[in-house]
Amino acid sequence: MHKTAARLTALLALSLALGACGRESPTTLGSAATLQGQATGLTATFDSTGAWDTGFTGRITLRNPGPSAIQGWTLKFKFNGTAAAGSSVWGAGGAISRDSSGLYTVTPNSWGGATIPAGGSVTIGYDGSGQLSGVNTCTLNGASCSG
């Protein structure tokens, strides 16, 4: 029964995200803003694990539903609204940078985060400022996260 509930939850999240394609802001579920989409089979989900007046703790989950492990990845995104990421990431993330247009680039750590296992996922954590309301630009290994 647990697997069925997980599959239904994943299908609902993907349906809501695909319904948001072409809109400037993503679908919001409860208090967590989420954008999830396909990128050559990979998906990227953005949410927060905690929030306060001036910031939040962010979480990005990269999932690989495919039958083969993915070796290496680069995630690029822009936040909606006032959100901004700090200068460090943890978990699978090794480095984060921001260009003058507000485009963030996250690359994996060197000790294991670069591999997304077949049927598995990796998680990137970061501290952010402002209020997380999703992302409006996202590419994973050069392919659009919004499908």
Side-chain angles (χ1 to χ4, degrees):
M1 188 71 168
H2 177 62
K3 287 183 180 181
T4 301
R7 287 181 182 145
L8 288 173
T9 301
L11 284 171
L12 176 60
L14 182 57
S15 295
L16 291 171
L18 291 175
C21 289
R23 295 185 204 158
E24 190 165 300
S25 61
T27 302
T28 302
L29 295 172
S31 63
T34 302
L35 173 74
Q36 185 174 14
Q38 291 289 332
T40 61
L42 299 173
T43 61
T45 303
F46 296 78
D47 65 5
S48 108
T49 59
W52 53 94
D53 289 343
T54 59
F56 61 95
T57 300
R59 176 177 56 193
I60 305 167
T61 304
L62 306 180
R63 285 190 174 80
N64 175 13
S68 301
I70 301 296
Q71 303 292 328
W73 52 265
T74 300
L75 175 68
K76 296 185 179 210
F77 63 92
K78 286 184 181 181
F79 287 111
N80 287 331
T82 63
S87 60
S88 63
V89 289
W90 58 86
I96 186 169
S97 62
R98 180 177 180 226
D99 70 14
S100 61
S101 74
L103 182 70
Y104 287 89
T105 300
V106 179
T107 54
N109 64 45
S110 60
W111 48 264
T115 300
I116 308 173
S121 64
V122 296
T123 303
I124 304 153
Y126 64 96
D127 282 329
S129 61
Q131 184 176 19
L132 180 63
S133 61
V135 297
N136 61 45
T137 300
C138 180
T139 62
L140 186 52
N141 285 352
S144 174
C145 294
S146 63

